[in-house]
Amino acid sequence: MDKFNYTMLCDFYELTMGNGYFVSGMQEKISYFDLFFRQIPDGGGFAIACGLEQVINYIENLHFDEEDIEFLRSKGIFDEGFLEYLKDFRFTGDIFAVPEGTVVFPNEPIITVRAPAVQAQLVETYLLLCINHQTLIATKANRIVRAAQGRAVSEFGSRRAHGADAAILGARAAGIGGCSGTACTITDQLFGFNATGTMAHSWVQMFDSELEAFKTYCKCYPNGTVLLVDTYNVLKSGVPNAIKAFDEVLKPMGCRPVGIRIDSGDITYLSKKARKMLDEAGYPDCKICASNALDEYLIRDMIYQGAKVDMFGVGERLITAKSEPVFGGVYKLAAVEDDEGNIQPKIKISENVAKITTPHFKKLYRIYDKNNHKAVADLLCVHDEVIDESRPLTLFDPQFTWKKKVVKNFEAKPIQQQIFKDGKCVYKKPAYEDIVKYAAAEIDTLWDEITRFENPHTYYVDLSQKLWEVKNFLLAENNRQTAD
Amino acid sequence: MDKFNYTMLCDFYELTMGNGYFVSGMQEKISYFDLFFRQIPDGGGFAIACGLEQVINYIENLHFDEEDIEFLRSKGIFDEGFLEYLKDFRFTGDIFAVPEGTVVFPNEPIITVRAPAVQAQLVETYLLLCINHQTLIATKANRIVRAAQGRAVSEFGSRRAHGADAAILGARAAGIGGCSGTACTITDQLFGFNATGTMAHSWVQMFDSELEAFKTYCKCYPNGTVLLVDTYNVLKSGVPNAIKAFDEVLKPMGCRPVGIRIDSGDITYLSKKARKMLDEAGYPDCKICASNALDEYLIRDMIYQGAKVDMFGVGERLITAKSEPVFGGVYKLAAVEDDEGNIQPKIKISENVAKITTPHFKKLYRIYDKNNHKAVADLLCVHDEVIDESRPLTLFDPQFTWKKKVVKNFEAKPIQQQIFKDGKCVYKKPAYEDIVKYAAAEIDTLWDEITRFENPHTYYVDLSQKLWEVKNFLLAENNRQTAD
């Protein structure tokens, strides 16, 4: 999968623009693009950046094959010089990004690309779809994991994913979001995210009786028995047969059952009854796993009502982020360099104030309280600004500038890292398990008020005085021009 | 993409079950599985089956590589005999399916697999994710296309898709659902679904002025000029500058502009004003394209309020099917063969009546009224039943059996085709453009009452008398057993 050439997975306008830059002699114009988002899905308080590894693979592999160029030629609109130029097309620029697993907030650059115009423009679609998808799923998964309050959550969604990538990389992202396992075999193989699974209803139906199906399974997996108990009737048939199979097969072998799974019906009610039956039969250590269209809200309610569930299998509502399946990351021009290499900040205006971009090549700092290592605010600065940690730092709301806050005894940490320099990857991709650990540590830096499901506290993402002035100068200039 | 081996993209339980069948000597037990869905997304009246081509590629390529088997061995739970058996694992069974583009309804098999147990079980996840995804998008796309009432709808969603496959195959499905174009270049390259595109806001920002950006674009593409007019201010800047660029660059060349695009703001209002400005400037033929988080409901309202839009670019809400991003296809055991080859129908019971399956190896007929070639009802029969078209046919509701309907002068057309026979593909995959045409023709066979957005008429999917009896016999038998 890493080797597939996704260069042609671009919006066609990236090629028409690329050709346009080329024939206008602008193809080498150094451009700065920011990838950022404007809103956190589900009204949440933060997102978890995810997908950088696949972005790196994509950039390293960026090139046009002969057949790609032939296809473009067949469209009849591209300059021959441009098609020629595409033959040797490689990424030669710089990329800065926050590591995967980093907690991120609206309006701050997850990725910044600095590259010749044609290159920077061409990578737009893939970068967006990769980051949008995995960030969406990691963020959603973490909501579900938080709802489960320490109980295990396993990702079960492949069958309802939007295609193969959505299944494979969605499971990858779910692990970064905190899921403890997946049903997706290939994600385990590719990333080492533990895949597990036991049986479908078809296993039970395949035998002449449920008991026979259960006993056969116990014989096959005496140390890993999880029985699906809702094929016919959970309490009248499934659980009694499971207990019988445990008694008749596992007990004589000296083995203990791992669990049962309930996949339909009123799981809160059924789990309480099943728990009692298992306890009374001498299997208090037999866990109960629940699945069936669960999400953070249902899990919260189930726990609130005392459901006896030890593990949640979460499928379609996680893998599609059903409640809000769009992560609205955008990729916007922030600056260009003139012929002398001076950076000219650029702004995109909109009648919708939330859609106005923050111009310039920027540096993103996260401000931590040194007393407790909690994140206090993020500060977007001009790229060469340095924050003096020895002096109190005044933060202000970029819209309501009278809202101020002075921070003392803080650490200002730049949270983007350089990933590519002059087209070479200068970043060591972390191992999957390290990303998982890092994401968990990141969430520990947040105040509880930020991690609430509903109406979380809005984390501050402020602009430095210098950056604020650049933005407001460009806004005023635009107003002047359109008023002319 | 066709060559990628997705064999390991399976739920892990398919492997634990496979191993279980193997060590129990059941691996060759012939099993029948149906892939079907229970509910149409968005409360719609029908779905459009899509994704079969990718299923065929997957099945033809089904095999375990050495490294796959090594990975499975490392899990420490699989029988060595089973791992050995996987080395030569190929699909040897039969597959029946409705062609892509076919209109389908709840509870009827889109795909039926007849194969040895291990094989039939293993393909579950990929078949589901492939059909679920593309059927979802084709169905959603068709809703949007219907809302546009003959105006062109182009698919713009790659950047918000759930990964690369979701972008590429989502665009493919959108075309089958009726979109007239896509922004996704690689989908054009792979399937011949026309990709188009012009410029992003970054193109406009890259120049010192909007006018210069527009004029440069006109020079590059004098015969394909579409200008994005909302970077600064649509009516004060974008449209006037577009007109100036048309006048100063295109007119002297004898070229006409193709269109303008509005991507933000109140598009209904802006489009009316822009239309007027273009008309007055002598460009009544210049089309107006609208984009920005559109869907069928917004498009319907825009048209209702007289928006002057000729073409809709639809992104995130189409490519993710945002309003309902889960297509709930399931894959259920319907029958097994005993050692003599007799088919034993199997049923899955549920406390939720809608989740009870229809057992047996079935044949799906669509009943057409010969007078107008409209579809009247679908009839699920036992596999060897033949419908006598020369005699009136009595249909009855499988739940409320007193609800009856007698059909005369009809054609009963079996709508599944055999795709694989003994592991060999016996089906000629249609060309993409033929699938598109076929899908459009299929929708023409529906009464308007079925194609309504809200509260459509529920199309009849009935059971033959014989199949109804099989199902009710199994239900009664289960009741008897759990009552014991």
Side-chain angles (χ1 to χ4, degrees), chain A residues 10-13 16 19 68 75 121 132 159 162 164-165 183 185 188-189 198 202 205 221 231 325 346 349, chain B residues 10-13 16 19 68 75 121 132 159 162 164-165 183 185 188-189 198 202 205 221 231 325 346 349:
Chain A
C10 60
D11 282 323
F12 199 74
Y13 77 1
T16 49
N19 180 63
D68 300 334
K75 302 295 273 186
Q121 191 71 69
N132 277 336
R159 63 192 53 200
H162 291 184
D165 259 1
T185 310
D188 187 348
Q189 186 181 18
T198 56
S202 52
Q205 293 171 272
Y221 302 102
T231 305
K346 292 282 185 176
I349 312 289
Chain B
C10 61
D11 281 323
F12 198 74
Y13 76 3
T16 50
N19 180 63
D68 300 333
K75 301 295 275 185
Q121 193 71 70
N132 277 335
R159 61 192 54 201
H162 291 183
D165 260 0
T185 310
D188 186 349
Q189 187 182 19
T198 56
S202 52
Q205 295 171 270
Y221 302 103
T231 304
K346 293 282 185 177
I349 312 288

Side-chain angles (χ1 to χ4, degrees), chain A residues 145-260:
Chain A
V145 167
R146 281 171 6 241
Q149 299 182 38
R151 293 164 189 82
V153 173
S154 201
E155 186 285 310
F156 273 19
S158 294
R159 63 192 53 200
R160 303 281 161 82
H162 291 184
D165 259 1
I168 300 169
L169 298 175
R172 175 184 187 273
I176 292 172
C179 286
S180 57
T182 179
C184 187
T185 310
I186 197 169
T187 298
D188 187 348
Q189 186 181 18
L190 292 172
F191 303 104
F193 181 34
N194 190 36
T196 58
T198 56
M199 65 173 66
H201 297 115
S202 52
W203 172 274
V204 178
Q205 293 171 272
M206 200 72 85
F207 294 81
D208 287 333
S209 75
E210 190 179 48
L211 181 60
E212 192 192 335
F214 286 175
K215 288 171 80 167
T216 307
Y217 199 87
C218 288
K219 279 175 210 153
C220 291
Y221 302 102
N223 295 307
T225 296
V226 178
L227 300 175
L228 179 62
V229 295
D230 71 332
T231 305
Y232 302 112
N233 185 302
V234 174
L235 302 177
K236 287 188 189 163
S237 159
V239 179
N241 279 331
I243 290 170
K244 210 175 280 184
F246 298 158
D247 284 344
E248 294 177 14
V249 182
L250 297 185
K251 199 173 269 177
M253 298 170 83
C255 296
R256 302 293 299 172
V258 172
I260 62 166

Side-chain angles (χ1 to χ4, degrees), chain A residues 48 72 79 84 89 119 131 145 158 165 182 235 239 251 256 305 329 346 356 379 389 404 408 414-415 435 441 452 473:
Chain A
I48 299 172
L72 294 177
D79 183 81
E84 203 53 40
F89 183 89
Q119 298 176 26
I131 299 294
V145 167
S158 294
D165 259 1
T182 179
L235 302 177
V239 179
K251 199 173 269 177
R256 302 293 299 172
Q305 291 204 326
K346 292 282 185 176
I356 296 174
L379 190 63
E389 295 180 352
K404 289 191 175 145
K408 294 173 194 166
I415 64 168
I435 301 174
R452 223 181 267 144
F473 173 78

Side-chain angles (χ1 to χ4, degrees), chain B residues 206-222:
Chain B
M206 200 72 84
F207 293 82
D208 287 331
S209 75
E210 192 179 47
L211 181 60
E212 191 191 336
F214 286 175
K215 288 171 79 168
T216 308
Y217 199 87
C218 287
K219 278 176 213 153
C220 291
Y221 302 103

